[in-house]
Amino acid sequence: MRHAAVGVDIGGTKLLMLAEGRDLEAPLIRRLATGPSVVPADIEAAVRAFIAENALKPTALGIAVPGLVENGQVKISDVLPQLTGWEGLHDDGTPQLLVNDIRGALAQESAGLSKASSAVVIVCGTAVGSAYLCEGRVVRGSRGWAGEIGSMPISTPQGVKRLDDLAGGGAIVRAVGERPEQIHAALATGDPRTRRIVRPRRPCHRALPRWADHQGSLGGGWVLSAAVLRPHAWPGG
C-alpha cells in the first residue's frame, strides 16, 4: 500500500480526486462527471475505487462540497441536492475534513498571508460563491451563510435575477444547450455560435454569458465584496 493524502473536489458537473504523498512518484488524478442526480453512494463508490485501484493508504482525506457544511455534515446543497445530510466517508479511521468548497479555496489562497490578513475568494462554477477572511478569522455569518453572493439580486431588462442565474456555469449550459465538456470543446475550436453566447472574461477564469454583463453583475459582486472588507488579497477562479 502507498501512503498518500487524498483530496476530493465535488462540483456540480465534475468530481475531481487527487492523491499526493512521498510514496508516489507523481500526483494521481481522476476526473468523473457528476450532476444533480448524484447521490452520496455514487461519490463514496468513486472515491473508494480510486483508492483501491491505486493501492493507496490515505493518511488524510479532504472533501470539498458545493454547499453549507456544519459540524461535518452537508446541511444543504443547491447544485447537488442529494448530498444534503451527507457526512462524508469514515473508513478505517482515516482523518477526514469535510468543508464547503469555496472555504477550502479560501484556506489554500490565504495560507501564505499573515495571521491578521483579510482576503476574499470568489469562485465561478456551476454557481457563483465567495468566502471571506477578516483579520485572520473566517467570516461565517448567521448559520454559516456568509458568502452566498449567487443569491444577490441583479436588475435586468427581464426583471430581477439572481447572480447565479446570470453568471453561473449552469446559466451558460442552459443558454448554449450543450453539456459543459461540449461547450469547452466548441470554444477551443472557435465555434461561432458558442462564442456568440459565451464570452471569456477575467478575472473569473471561466466563460460568462454575454448577457451576464447587466450592470456589471459579476463584477459588481466582486467589487462589492472588496469594498466591504478591503482585503489584502482577493483571488478568483
Side-chain angles (χ1 to χ4, degrees):
M1 300 296 285
R2 300 183 292 177
H3 292 79
V6 177
V8 180
D9 179 19
I10 307 171
T13 59
K14 63 96 177 77
L15 168 65
L16 181 65
M17 293 171 286
L18 169 71
E20 290 185 324
R22 288 183 294 180
D23 290 352
L24 303 179
E25 294 181 0
L28 302 174
I29 300 174
R30 180 174 297 176
R31 182 186 181 114
L32 301 172
T34 63
S37 63
V38 163
V39 299
D42 299 328
I43 303 295
E44 294 169 12
V47 174
R48 291 187 177 118
F50 176 70
I51 291 171
E53 292 168 13
N54 290 288
L56 299 175
K57 176 64 176 176
T59 56
L61 177 62
I63 305 175
V65 299
L68 177 63
V69 177
E70 284 185 348
N71 301 318
Q73 183 184 72
V74 180
K75 294 300 183 182
I76 189 170
S77 174
D78 288 343
V79 297
L80 296 175
Q82 304 295 332
L83 293 189
T84 299
W86 189 49
E87 297 181 348
L89 285 79
H90 295 280
D91 293 347
D92 302 324
T94 301
Q96 173 188 272
L97 180 63
L98 181 67
V99 298
N100 169 267
D101 53 357
I102 304 177
R103 291 201 178 137
L106 176 67
Q108 174 66 28
E109 295 293 346
S110 61
L113 300 178
S114 70
K115 292 183 178 180
S117 294
S118 298
V120 173
V121 170
I122 295 180
V123 176
C124 308
T126 303
V128 182
S130 62
Y132 311 105
L133 189 72
C134 183
E135 297 183 346
R137 300 184 64 179
V138 175
V139 178
R140 291 183 51 81
S142 175
R143 301 183 62 186
W145 283 104
E148 295 293 326
I149 63 171
S151 298
M152 185 171 67
I154 304 293
S155 178
T156 77
Q158 292 76 38
V160 177
K161 306 284 187 180
R162 298 187 313 155
L163 181 59
D164 276 348
D165 298 329
L166 296 173
I172 297 174
V173 170
R174 289 191 296 273
V176 179
E178 308 247 355
R179 295 193 304 273
E181 60 271 21
Q182 294 174 312
I183 295 174
H184 284 292
L187 288 172
T189 58
D191 178 70
R193 174 184 174 273
T194 305
R195 288 179 64 88
R196 281 196 300 271
I197 301 173
V198 179
R199 176 175 58 184
R201 290 178 64 90
R202 293 182 180 271
C204 175
H205 303 300
R206 271 186 182 270
L208 299 183
R210 185 173 294 275
W211 34 265
D213 217 13
H214 293 303
Q215 300 186 4
S217 53
L218 183 64
W222 191 279
V223 172
L224 177 61
S225 297
V228 170
L229 289 181
R230 292 295 177 186
H232 296 94
W234 42 318

